[in-house]
Amino acid sequence: MIASMTKYSFILLNGEQQDLLEQIQALGLVDITRSTKPVNDKSRDMLTEIELIDGLIRGLEKATVPEGTQPESIDGDIVRLAGGMLMRYNDDQVDIKGLEKEIDNLRGWGYYDIETIKKLEEAGVPLHFHLLSRKAFKAEWEKEYALRVIKREKNRLRFVVAGEDSLPGEIPAPVGNLKDKEKELRDRKKHYQVVLSRIAGAKERIGELQERKAEALADLDLFLAETAAVPAAEDTIVTLVGYAPTEQDAAVQAALDSMGVFYLKEEATVEDNPPIQLKNNWFVRQFEVLTDMYGRPGYDGFDPTPFISVFFLLFFAFCMGDCGYGLILIAVGLLLKKVDGFKDLSPLVTILGAGTAVIGFLFHTFFSMDISAWRIFAPVKWIFLPGKIAGYDGTMVLSIIVGVVHLCLAMCVKTFEETKNKGLLNSLGTWGWTLLIVGGVVVGSLALIGVLSSEITKWIIIVLGVVSALGIFVFNDMHRNKLANVGMGLWETYNTVTGLVGDVLSYLRLYALGLAGSMLGLAFNNIGQMILGDGSNPVTWIPFVLIVVIGHTLNIAMAALGAFVHPLRLNFLEFFKNSGYEARGRNFNPLSK
């Protein structure tokens, strides 16, 4: 849900805003309306410093230091020193790779004296270096030319011709001397070891860099808040606007009163465009990252996260559709707790894994094996999804049913929100479509299961049709001509009918992705079983295990990618379109240390 906000308007003498903002920053509860991007040269310089420190942190974290390297104590400004060390670290790596490549090429020609080659050239006997395939080389050349084969490689020959030469495969003469290059490589590696020791020492101060970055971010945030002050009364006073959650009113008011600042307090309105803070329970909160990928709602909108949390989990589990894969995801989620940078994703991955394990069990699939045939599950076979429903694949039918429920819920949400924001009379058109579609689905479902008789169903459908038609074609806009309403109703009918059919069919992707993953996993199982045979030969167990493990690992990776993207699409496109969701809000970002 969207947390209600209180608006605070501050009025103070020009020059006092910095002290006030520093105190508000220490409080850490008030979002001062400010720019999120640099506004002048000073703020751009501050952002550049932050980006520099962030780059140093990432560079040090990526730098590979061999185990056992003795860290060298680094004293002085870590920002300046780390930058120089990373430059030398990268330069040494490039130089060492280049020297190793040069030496590898020179070794093909052996050890030779550059001065002797120069003297031969001065005497009119230049040397020509050749690299040619063994098939193209002709043995008679050794009698026709002053030719010496230097090295016979697997598929080619290296040879030198002194004096006159018209043979193919000539290449530029190697630059440098092998002994000199080997000495240069040894020296460079010694220097690299010293740099590695310093990098290891700098890595121990990454925490200090992170603190510097946090301080710089807080300073930039404070500066941007200062520039947000609006001058008034010939620059003698300035005004600032901030927002805080209404539930924090007591703490904020007590803090502001102790600061001795003059402020006005009022309930935030839609016109104020206050920042959006989402307030959800632990389970739903794990899915707020998905909502933020699309954008937060406006202050008068609704929080889609509770709906996303249920249906994204359900859709993801449908796409994976395997109990074994769900258990693997649970293990991955628990392991992510120990990985810096991924700890926040650990609960979400674990939840998705648990959902996949449950749905996979209901689909009676374990690593693409049908567990409904296992004796151990004979007592609970009744909870497994039947293979066929009304003559069609059970998973496909269930995907369509879930999709219809998802779209009906979206239409109900849209109707409720429009009624809340526009009033009943201004939302009769939406009510008409919701009664027609959602009411029709409910009545049809009750009739199919025998709760309603055919006669009662007929009259309910007639009443729903008449009431819906009035809302759709006559009262869709109370301030517009009725003939214009009919024309608009016909146009909306065309768009809704064609769009709704496509939206419902979109949910077949849940069935298709689950089926594709299951078939691919089954193929790996079958290939492994073909190699294993009856299992009597111990040697066949090794390729069997390799094929099954590698195959299912690849399948899990591909299935997880599809299971993330497509459920996201169903929520962002089908649900958001039919629910009227708009991402108009900005995140609540209190000024804080």
Side-chain angles (χ1 to χ4, degrees), residues 291-312:
T291 300
D292 287 338
M293 288 175 66
Y294 191 88
R296 294 205 171 182
Y299 195 57
D300 60 341
F302 68 96
D303 179 11
T305 315
F307 305 105
I308 291 176
S309 64
V310 174
F311 285 98
F312 182 86

Side-chain angles (χ1 to χ4, degrees), residues 439-465:
V441 168
V442 172
V443 172
S445 300
L446 292 176
L448 282 174
I449 61 177
V451 174
L452 298 177
S453 66
S454 58
E455 187 67 21
I456 294 176
T457 301
K458 180 182 74 174
W459 282 107
I460 293 177
I461 292 296
I462 291 173
V463 172
L464 280 176

Side-chain angles (χ1 to χ4, degrees), residues 2-51:
I2 300 172
S4 59
M5 288 284 162
T6 299
K7 178 182 178 181
Y8 295 88
S9 301
F10 303 95
I11 303 174
L12 58 160
L13 293 174
N14 196 350
E16 295 181 350
Q17 57 266 37
Q18 184 173 1
D19 291 338
L20 171 65
L21 290 170
E22 287 178 354
Q23 295 180 73
I24 290 177
Q25 189 178 40
L27 178 62
L29 294 175
V30 181
D31 183 329
I32 298 294
T33 302
R34 58 201 184 276
S35 171
T36 57
K37 298 179 180 179
V39 295
N40 53 25
D41 289 341
K42 182 176 180 181
S43 56
R44 274 188 285 273
D45 291 341
M46 296 171 76
L47 181 61
T48 300
E49 181 186 2
I50 292 169
E51 291 174 344

Side-chain angles (χ1 to χ4, degrees), residues 297-524:
Y299 195 57
D300 60 341
F302 68 96
D303 179 11
T305 315
F307 305 105
I308 291 176
S309 64
V310 174
F311 285 98
F312 182 86
L313 173 59
L314 183 61
F315 296 161
F316 184 94
F318 261 70
C319 292
M320 295 294 286
D322 192 290
C323 182
Y325 290 2
L327 297 177
I328 294 295
L329 286 176
I330 291 174
V332 171
L334 295 175
L335 289 174
L336 286 178
K337 285 185 177 181
K338 301 179 180 180
V339 181
D340 293 334
F342 291 94
K343 291 180 180 179
D344 293 340
L345 288 176
S346 173
L348 178 59
V349 175
T350 306
I351 290 171
L352 294 176
T356 301
V358 172
I359 295 297
F361 182 77
L362 296 178
F363 288 172
H364 45 87
T365 305
F366 185 82
F367 289 107
S368 300
M369 295 181 289
D370 186 0
I371 61 176
S372 64
W374 296 4
R375 290 184 179 180
I376 188 174
F377 294 116
V380 293
K381 272 189 177 182
W382 58 273
I383 68 173
F384 290 153
L385 178 71
K388 297 288 183 179
I389 297 178
Y392 297 96
D393 187 282
T395 310
M396 182 181 72
V397 174
L398 200 57
S399 297
I400 294 294
I401 292 174
V402 169
V404 170
V405 172
H406 197 217
L407 293 176
C408 287
L409 181 61
M411 297 185 74
C412 291
V413 170
K414 181 179 181 179
T415 304
F416 175 79
E417 289 297 318
E418 278 201 20
T419 304
K420 182 184 72 173
N421 294 324
K422 298 179 181 180
L424 179 61
L425 293 179
N426 292 322
S427 56
L428 291 177
T430 303
W431 271 99
W433 282 112
T434 303
L435 286 173
L436 180 65
I437 296 172
V438 178
V441 168
V442 172
V443 172
S445 300
L446 292 176
L448 282 174
I449 61 177
V451 174
L452 298 177
S453 66
S454 58
E455 187 67 21
I456 294 176
T457 301
K458 180 182 74 174
W459 282 107
I460 293 177
I461 292 296
I462 291 173
V463 172
L464 280 176
V466 172
V467 174
S468 300
L470 289 173
I472 294 169
F473 296 105
V474 181
F475 302 114
N476 53 49
D477 190 333
M478 300 296 291
H479 308 290
R480 191 167 52 196
N481 181 277
K482 295 298 180 283
L483 288 176
N485 280 353
V486 172
M488 186 57 67
L490 290 172
W491 174 247
E492 192 173 343
T493 299
Y494 169 76
N495 290 330
T496 302
V497 171
T498 55
L500 205 58
V501 171
D503 290 345
V504 172
L505 293 178
S506 287
Y507 289 86
L508 282 173
R509 71 187 66 238
L510 301 175
Y511 161 70
L513 287 168
L515 179 64
S518 178
M519 291 296 99
L520 188 57
L522 183 61
F524 286 120

Side-chain angles (χ1 to χ4, degrees), residues 197-219:
S197 296
R198 292 176 180 173
I199 289 288
K203 275 177 168 287
E204 295 180 344
R205 296 181 64 180
I206 287 179
E208 184 180 333
L209 283 171
Q210 291 171 335
E211 290 179 7
R212 287 276 292 272
K213 177 187 172 183
E215 291 172 3
L217 281 169
D219 291 342

